[in-house]
Amino acid sequence: MLKYQPNMKSYEEEYKNFSWQIACNELEYKDGSIINIGEYCTDRICRMGKASKLALIWEGFNGEEKKYTFDDMRVLTNTIAAFLQKVGINPGDRVCLFMDKVPELYFGFLGILKMGGIAQPLFSAFGSESLLTRLEDAGTAAIFTQKKHLPKVRNIVEQLPSLKHIIVVDDDGSKPLREKEIAFHMDKAERVNEFKVYPSKAETPSVLHYTSGTTGQPKGAQHVHYSLISQYITAKYVLDIKDEDIYWCTADPGWVTGTSYGIIGAWSNAATQCVLDAGFKAETWYKFIEKHKITVWYSAPTAIRALMKEGTEVVNKHNLSSLRHLTSVGEPLNAEAVIWSKEAFGLPFHDTYWQTETGSIVLSNYPGMKIKPGSMGKPFPGITATVVDLKTHLPIEKKGIVGMIALKPGWPAMFRTYWNNKETYDKKFQNGWYLCGDRASIDEDGYFWFVGRDDDVINTAGHLVGPFEIESALLEHPAVAESAVVGKPDPMNMEVVKAFIALKPGNEKTKMLELEIMNFVRKKLSALAMPQEIEFVDSLPKTRSGKIMRRVLRAKEWGEEIGDISTLENDM
Ligand code: WT7
């Protein structure tokens, strides 16, 4: 029995009667009128009489704390928007956010949207090469960063002719800034109380999130301001955000969860949000929940498994009675984790499923609906979801049969294209369905059960990494002749990166070289993309046309049948 009344009274009723118009009405949005996410998350909340309500409670690595009301946030996002205009950033320009989870990241995101720019958040742990690929593709005009990440930007600035400004948010004047670099201190800048928000319409581009695929470099999933409609109502119905909640989304805004629900969904619902800009540690996390009396928590399976490993003793040392609703996303949430969380917190984690491309939650377990541990739940109202046959792409009517998850296009938050890559975008649609690229089955009661990805993308701790990007980086190492990168099962992170490498003649297969190559990738791309394991081989399995067959290597790692290699060859 729930101790509270969920925002969505009955899933069945809502699913039957739902229309996105409900969200439009609640947001007082009329077809064809102005809709700006930055305005909706700040000015509108102030107009609703919540100007002095806390919007952000931020805690840094050393326990330092900052608090901002919705009015502070309104003014600071104005200040950033006005600053961007002053330095010559135009509506439609891509502005990258390359920072840790500091307040400037959150307000920068909304400030960019307020002046009509396209926000391009990138994970601050990325190395120069990961950064270069994405900034080059987007033709980014400006980048916000911190002193500690500046060297990575400096490494590549000469290769980025479109990049006009490098905005440093914490410059202390100790070292001179170089050409194109500007210091900007959000808290010290002259506050801009009134700003004329860019009159964006539903289809005006808003956010560009890069995501990895099987082939080629990462692709920019381009979203529009209308995404707000989905993000607002899913945050309300799935995360169940209410006015009195203190909400914590553990995701970094470098990834879509951190923007759709760590910024837009939360603040358009006027939630008070907490942000912890510190790495994972069970003790730190529980202290954070206890201190701020967090009520609604959105996290990820890897983190939950890591908490599980620490056991319930450390849970019981803290008063976590404020918690009332727990949600998870990013990778399969195993049944054990759901059962454990009931034991540890008295509450089950509710799994949610979606992607960078979908922009908002599409499958979920809802508060008040029976959870089947291990299942991703049911389609969100307004979403038509099924599984389709892997070859014919026709919906599979029979229950329990594995197919590819497919969605009827047309919900507000769906991506509108891949930046500069319409061809790949078009391929995601078949027979009138958007194909998610994941395999699942649907049971008698309509619950979806995740089986695995339908491509070679690696999901490590909820982060997707593309094998192609890693293989390309490996090839730049002088000792590497060729390589194939696959996901290897891992009890904590679900998968880790494993690289099979054939060396150029004259190189020895030593442990030293292995470590050197690992480090090489870590620096260029990121710790996530770094192979945790390297296996030196004399040659790699290839098709007749010379394409490396990752699937054969992957199947070996997973102890699976290699499958029909002949069709794979024909597919090439
Ligand atoms: C991919 C999307 C959107 C949230 C963060 C990730 C996997 C996501 C689940 C889940 C099993 C899941 C899928 C999906 N995934 N949620 N509940 N159960 N797998 O966004 O980086 O675009 O990754 O993450 O493979 O396609 P993303």
Side-chain angles (χ1 to χ4, degrees):
M1 262 300 281
L2 292 178
K3 293 197 196 84
Y4 57 90
Q5 175 76 3
N7 288 335
M8 180 161 66
K9 306 281 176 306
S10 145
Y11 171 72
E12 279 72 28
E13 281 300 301
E14 197 69 45
Y15 195 88
K16 244 191 294 162
N17 304 322
F18 186 84
S19 101
W20 297 106
Q21 194 55 44
I22 296 174
C24 293
N25 293 347
E26 288 186 17
L27 290 165
E28 298 166 287
Y29 167 74
K30 286 196 187 62
D31 232 11
S33 65
I34 292 169
I35 177 169
N36 185 296
I37 291 172
E39 204 271 347
Y40 264 99
C41 291
T42 61
D43 303 67
R44 181 170 181 270
I45 308 297
C46 293
R47 283 201 305 278
M48 287 161 68
K50 295 181 185 169
S52 58
K53 181 178 174 179
L54 275 182
L56 176 64
I57 303 172
W58 177 87
E59 212 176 288
F61 187 70
N62 298 313
E64 66 274 34
E65 203 177 282
K66 292 183 184 177
K67 289 182 177 174
Y68 300 88
T69 63
F70 274 97
D71 196 56
D72 293 330
M73 189 156 85
R74 178 186 69 78
V75 174
L76 292 171
T77 52
N78 280 350
T79 308
I80 293 170
F83 167 78
L84 286 172
Q85 267 183 352
K86 202 181 78 196
V87 299
I89 298 300
N90 296 309
D93 283 352
R94 278 72 64 208
V95 181
C96 174
L97 297 148
F98 186 55
M99 291 183 273
D100 296 351
K101 292 192 270 179
V102 290
E104 287 85 347
L105 169 58
Y106 293 81
F107 300 168
F109 180 88
L110 295 173
I112 295 165
L113 298 182
K114 273 185 154 178
M115 57 75 58
I118 302 178
Q120 182 194 6
L122 292 177
F123 192 38
S124 65
F126 277 162
S128 293
E129 190 131 333
S130 291
L131 195 60
L132 176 65
T133 319
R134 292 157 177 85
L135 296 181
E136 215 170 23
D137 186 64
T140 308
I143 179 167
F144 279 94
T145 194
Q146 291 165 284
K147 238 175 54 187
K148 65 198 263 200
H149 300 301
L150 188 56
K152 296 190 278 188
V153 184
R154 283 180 173 171
N155 274 344
I156 54 171
V157 61
E158 272 165 22
Q159 297 168 69
L160 294 166
S162 321
L163 192 66
K164 288 196 276 190
H165 302 297
I166 300 164
I167 304 158
V168 187
V169 300
D170 58 352
D171 177 57
D172 56 6
S174 61
K175 286 203 191 109
L177 291 180
R178 300 186 186 167
E179 203 193 325
K180 292 190 177 184
E181 297 172 357
I182 335 174
F184 172 77
H185 292 270
M186 180 180 82
D187 289 318
K188 290 186 211 151
E190 196 182 325
R191 293 187 157 211
V192 175
N193 193 46
E194 299 299 327
F195 177 81
K196 200 175 167 329
V197 173
Y198 181 75
S200 42
K201 294 284 183 72
E203 293 303 307
T204 306
S206 56
V207 183
L208 192 59
H209 262 299
Y210 276 78
T211 180
S212 299
T214 300
T215 54
Q217 293 292 354
K219 306 170 295 277
Q222 190 223 292
H223 293 277
V224 296
H225 281 268
Y226 194 56
S227 71
L228 169 73
I229 304 299
S230 300
Q231 289 151 348
Y232 161 80
I233 197 80
T234 48
K236 180 170 172 179
Y237 283 175
V238 181
L239 308 178
D240 200 48
I241 292 177
K242 301 179 200 304
D243 199 33
E244 60 277 15
D245 277 315
I246 307 283
Y247 166 70
W248 182 29
C249 170
T250 59
D252 187 300
W255 312 100
V256 74
T257 310
T259 59
S260 288
Y261 297 102
I263 300 181
I264 309 171
W267 281 329
S268 59
N269 276 282
T272 297
Q273 280 211 80
C274 295
V275 168
L276 177 62
D277 184 21
F280 173 83
K281 208 169 155 245
E283 182 84 34
T284 318
W285 277 32
Y286 293 143
K287 268 196 190 140
F288 190 68
I289 294 171
E290 182 173 22
K291 179 170 170 197
H292 301 292
K293 301 195 169 51
I294 286 160
T295 57
V296 178
W297 186 15
Y298 199 13
S299 200
T302 294
I304 300 163
R305 285 193 291 269
L307 293 173
M308 214 167 135
K309 203 172 131 209
E310 300 287 324
T312 45
E313 206 170 289
V314 49
V315 177
N316 297 335
K317 277 202 274 176
H318 298 87
N319 178 358
L320 306 180
S321 60
S322 55
L323 289 173
R324 73 164 178 92
H325 183 45
L326 315 183
T327 49
S328 160
V329 68
E331 351 143 30
L333 179 66
N334 36 320
E336 298 78 37
V338 177
I339 294 161
W340 177 79
S341 88
K342 257 175 119 169
E343 225 175 85
F345 310 114
L347 300 163
F349 266 94
H350 293 68
D351 192 15
T352 70
Y353 167 92
W354 56 294
Q355 309 176 304
T356 303
E357 287 86 346
T358 69
S360 62
I361 295 164
V362 292
L363 301 175
S364 176
N365 291 280
Y366 305 91
M369 186 180 93
K370 181 184 164 208
I371 294 181
K372 295 194 186 185
S375 157
M376 301 188 288
K378 298 190 185 190
F380 187 78
I383 300 282
T384 306
T386 188
V387 294
V388 296
D389 183 89
L390 302 175
K391 289 214 172 71
T392 64
H393 301 126
L394 290 168
I396 300 172
E397 302 300 337
K398 209 162 154 234
K399 299 293 167 196
I401 306 285
V402 175
M404 188 132 55
I405 304 177
L407 309 167
K408 266 266 143 13
W411 67 98
M414 183 174 191
F415 73 136
R416 297 302 196 260
T417 191
Y418 286 124
W419 193 261
N420 285 336
N421 199 346
K422 189 167 177 314
E423 201 187 320
T424 308
Y425 172 78
D426 288 339
K427 281 198 205 131
K428 299 284 281 192
F429 300 86
Q430 297 289 342
N431 284 346
W433 293 96
Y434 163 71
L435 304 181
C436 294
D438 289 305
R439 294 183 189 186
S441 66
I442 308 174
D443 72 13
E444 294 293 334
D445 301 320
Y447 284 72
F448 283 65
W449 297 80
F450 186 81
V451 173
R453 287 194 60 100
D454 191 54
D455 58 18
D456 294 340
V457 173
I458 301 158
N459 189 335
T460 179
H463 303 298
L464 300 190
V465 292
F468 180 82
E469 199 180 8
I470 306 171
E471 288 162 1
S472 307
L474 283 168
L475 282 183
E476 288 177 43
H477 190 281
V480 175
E482 53 184 14
S483 74
V485 164
V486 300
K488 177 187 161 78
D490 181 79
M492 188 58 69
N493 298 301
M494 176 157 132
E495 288 183 303
V496 291
V497 175
K498 172 161 183 182
F500 292 86
I501 294 176
L503 293 171
K504 284 184 187 157
N507 290 287
E508 277 189 49
K509 301 169 177 171
T510 62
K511 192 80 200 159
M512 271 281 275
L513 181 58
E514 211 179 293
L515 293 177
E516 187 194 305
I517 295 174
M518 285 177 180
N519 212 24
F520 181 80
V521 176
R522 186 181 59 78
K523 275 215 175 121
K524 261 186 186 306
L525 302 178
S526 69
L528 288 176
M530 180 184 84
Q532 302 282 323
E533 197 178 308
I534 288 179
E535 188 173 327
F536 291 124
V537 291
D538 294 328
S539 66
L540 293 164
K542 290 198 195 96
T543 60
R544 259 167 270 141
S545 58
K547 206 170 155 189
I548 291 167
M549 292 167 81
R550 289 193 198 109
R551 264 176 207 202
V552 174
L553 298 166
R554 196 190 129 84
K556 235 176 70 193
E557 291 305 314
W558 288 75
E560 286 165 0
E561 291 287 316
I562 290 176
D564 189 351
I565 301 173
S566 64
T567 52
L568 247 170
E569 285 185 19
N570 293 338
D571 276 345
M572 301 287 141

